[in-house]
Amino acid sequence: MSLFDHTVSELHTLLQKKEVSISDLVDESYRRIGEVEEKVQAFLTLNEEQARVKAKELDDKLAKGEETNPLFGLPIGIKDNIVTKGLRTTCASKILYNFDPIYDATVMERLNAAGAITIGKLNMDEFAMGSSTENSGFQLTRNPWDLERVPGGSSGGSAAAVAAGEVPFALGSDTGGSIRQPAAFCGVVGLKPTYGRVSRFGLVAFASSLDQIGPITRTVEDNAYLLQVISGVDPMDSTSANIPVPNYVEALTGDIKGLKIAVPKEYFGEGVDEGVRQSVLAALNVLEKLGVTWEKVSLPHSKYALATYYLLASSEASANLARFDGVRYGYRTDNAKNLIDMYKLTRSEGFGNEVKRRIMLGTFALSSGYYDAYYKKAQKVRTLIKRDFENVFEQYDVIIGPTTPTPAFQIGEKTSDPLTMYMNDILTIPVNLAGVPAISVPCGFVDGLPVGLQIIGKHFDESTVYRVAHAFEQATDYHKQKPVL
């Protein structure tokens, strides 16, 4: 049995009783990485030397009884678009291949203050643009359940590392499903918090009005512990919300009697695999036995979410990625004859195809003569999508459906057709457009591959989302099943 088969609270107890040391946990992480990393390829950069030094320091503090936080001394993996002081941060892009940040993201400051130990930086789709982690500029991460399949994306490295037992938990980022979709593909728990719940300061921006950092873990309780530490207002991020952070772990009562669940008919439409559909319906039956009621509803503007998202996200990306020009940091071409050449060649050589595709789409949507027809109209549709959620939440506590239309697909299966790849986020994207919280928890298997159940909540009501997810998890054993590597 691996130490990481224990939950956060169990590891905390073992540390308190001196049955294991923090150095043991760090050793366990690097031992497992040594065993399986060649197959999974989840990590881009390891932080071994610093992690072992920090583990010894924290062991000394533990001996003096100087700690209280449940995350104290626990190893964590960090998605490579979250800046880490002195630890390379590349966004899985050639254009940032040599970037060593001089400051920490706010979430990193909070994790460091809690005593968590960064094991390394995790692979992703370049600049978080993708649904399979096949767009990384450096390596291909594989799904621990089937090494010939993708782990999802863009937080594929984070989900794969947790599923493979390399770290007990990880941070990802979610712009259109990039935490929940890989969590579903890899059979782990992934939460996208309400927009504004977690500071984005130090998250390399893709689409600023959609991006949100969130936790990927083995269990719902672990997820709640991690969100507790990273949440809260931040003076460095004007979009972070000054709203009190409740105690999420206290919400995990197991009692969900009387809650009303909405099930959108649009989330069971064309393209949803029959095995996925049956797994979600079986999950609703489990919840029904726990005392909830559920009814079918409609989110009528969901069908426009994909087009709306790709216009808005690409427009924001085209503005955000303008800063990568070879002048201040990162990759610079050796082939330039003048300044304009340097800009052009640096960006054309440094960015991958998917990033270029989205920059071009976004620049077109924002250009003179097309702004009103595309960007402005997409913003209006976004408001309609948000209102759909608000109308449903007037009568229901949570919305439930599949996280993804299918289980994990084969490596290379969709790379030649971007539109088919984009369809993979069709069930997760509306949540980002509306800014509400949502979690994916394992709810079954199709042909030996995990299926994710998506639970969507009201703005800043992560507590209810966790409560429902935890009750379901405790009534089933899908979260206890692990891939064999």
Side-chain angles (χ1 to χ4, degrees):
M1 181 179 178
S2 164
L3 281 171
F4 299 157
D5 289 339
H6 294 286
T7 64
V8 165
S9 57
E10 288 167 349
L11 288 172
H12 183 63
T13 303
L14 290 172
L15 288 170
Q16 292 286 304
K17 291 180 174 176
K18 309 288 190 291
E19 290 179 24
V20 298
S21 69
I22 293 165
S23 294
D24 290 338
L25 296 180
V26 171
D27 286 344
E28 176 77 359
S29 189
Y30 287 117
R31 181 194 65 75
R32 182 64 174 167
I33 288 168
E35 271 181 6
V36 303
E37 182 59 19
E38 198 174 307
K39 297 175 188 170
V40 178
Q41 297 187 53
F43 282 91
L44 287 175
T45 307
L46 291 175
N47 187 40
E48 191 163 357
E49 193 178 328
Q50 286 174 280
R52 292 190 188 282
V53 169
K54 186 170 180 184
K56 287 194 175 77
E57 287 173 9
L58 297 184
D59 272 329
D60 292 342
K61 281 190 177 180
L62 192 65
K64 296 172 189 169
E66 289 180 16
E67 81 48 64
T68 52
N69 197 290
L71 299 195
F72 187 86
L74 299 194
I76 186 168
I78 306 295
K79 187 176 179 179
D80 205 27
N81 60 346
I82 297 168
V83 301
T84 42
K85 187 175 180 179
L87 182 60
R88 188 143 296 177
T89 301
T90 69
C91 294
S93 177
K94 183 182 175 184
I95 210 159
L96 283 176
Y97 78 104
N98 62 354
F99 178 54
D100 297 323
I102 56 171
Y103 69 96
D104 270 323
T106 297
V107 291
M108 294 310 302
E109 288 181 351
R110 290 175 177 174
L111 285 170
N112 291 335
I117 297 179
T118 302
I119 291 299
K121 303 299 289 290
L122 291 155
N123 196 25
M124 55 186 280
D125 283 301
E126 184 180 6
F127 284 102
M129 297 181 192
S131 309
S132 65
T133 311
E134 290 171 287
N135 293 331
S136 169
F138 300 118
Q139 66 192 40
L140 181 68
T141 299
R142 295 172 181 273
N143 191 319
W145 289 90
D146 179 347
L147 296 172
E148 296 307 310
R149 292 180 185 268
V150 301
S154 61
S155 308
S158 300
V162 173
E166 295 179 299
V167 283
F169 42 60
L171 285 188
S173 69
D174 193 310
T175 308
S178 286
I179 286 173
R180 290 158 290 150
Q181 188 251 25
F185 278 7
C186 293
V188 292
V189 178
L191 176 97
K192 183 207 87 76
T194 308
Y195 184 82
R197 173 59 89 194
V198 177
S199 170
R200 289 185 302 109
F201 179 73
L203 174 68
V204 179
F206 161 16
S208 306
S209 74
L210 299 160
D211 298 339
Q212 196 65 183
I213 296 169
I216 295 177
T217 58
R218 292 285 292 279
T219 69
V220 174
E221 184 184 69
D222 289 359
N223 210 279
Y225 275 121
L226 190 45
L227 184 66
Q228 192 77 50
V229 166
I230 63 173
S231 292
V233 68
D234 176 20
M236 302 297 282
D237 175 12
S238 62
T239 64
S240 71
N242 192 4
I243 290 175
V245 179
N247 187 319
Y248 295 122
V249 178
E250 282 181 1
L252 310 181
T253 59
D255 178 18
I256 54 170
K257 285 188 183 71
L259 290 185
K260 292 180 72 181
I261 290 172
V263 179
K265 62 183 183 185
E266 291 81 5
Y267 286 21
F268 290 86
E270 189 185 342
V272 176
D273 179 269
E274 185 56 31
V276 170
R277 190 194 314 270
Q278 293 306 324
S279 294
V280 173
L281 291 173
L284 286 167
N285 287 337
V286 170
L287 290 168
E288 214 170 7
K289 286 173 186 165
L290 295 171
V292 307
T293 55
W294 63 273
E295 293 170 352
K296 288 189 177 176
V297 298
S298 179
L299 295 169
H301 295 97
S302 291
K303 60 186 173 185
Y304 306 116
L306 203 65
T308 301
Y309 169 83
Y310 277 101
L311 278 167
L312 296 178
S314 299
S315 297
E316 293 185 26
S318 107
N320 278 326
L321 270 62
R323 71 193 71 174
F324 302 107
D325 54 13
V327 176
R328 286 154 290 199
Y329 47 76
Y331 173 76
R332 179 185 292 180
T333 184
D334 294 325
N335 305 315
K337 292 177 182 152
N338 55 47
L339 186 64
I340 300 302
D341 252 11
M342 190 198 75
Y343 290 148
K344 279 185 183 172
L345 291 172
T346 294
R347 288 166 68 79
S348 64
E349 292 167 15
F351 288 137
N353 288 340
E354 184 60 33
V355 174
K356 290 177 195 169
R357 187 180 289 120
R358 298 199 197 194
I359 288 173
M360 289 169 73
L361 175 62
T363 305
F364 175 80
L366 292 172
S367 61
S368 176
Y370 296 101
Y371 176 88
D372 285 354
Y374 293 106
Y375 182 77
K376 192 174 177 184
K377 186 170 279 186
Q379 288 287 26
K380 289 177 177 177
V381 178
R382 180 181 189 170
T383 301
L384 296 176
I385 290 167
K386 186 167 176 279
R387 280 183 194 156
D388 283 350
F389 280 99
E390 287 165 357
N391 292 338
V392 169
F393 283 132
E394 282 175 10
Q395 297 177 57
Y396 299 91
D397 298 292
V398 292
I399 295 168
I400 283 183
T403 308
T404 60
T406 66
F409 47 87
Q410 294 273 349
I411 289 166
E413 187 181 322
K414 301 187 179 184
T415 44
S416 60
D417 185 355
L419 290 179
T420 306
M421 184 74 85
Y422 295 168
M423 289 295 287
N424 215 59
D425 295 330
I426 198 161
L427 302 174
T428 52
I429 277 170
V431 169
N432 296 77
L433 292 169
V436 292
I439 198 169
S440 177
V441 291
C443 73
F445 291 86
V446 172
D447 298 329
L449 298 168
V451 174
L453 178 74
Q454 183 172 213
I455 303 166
I456 305 166
K458 301 171 186 175
H459 284 100
F460 298 102
D461 190 16
E462 285 86 357
S463 293
T464 303
V465 172
Y466 276 142
R467 197 170 132 210
V468 175
H470 182 254
F472 172 76
E473 183 185 77
Q474 295 308 299
T476 58
D477 65 354
Y478 300 118
H479 65 289
K480 292 178 183 172
Q481 300 191 40
K482 297 189 301 179
V484 177
L485 275 166

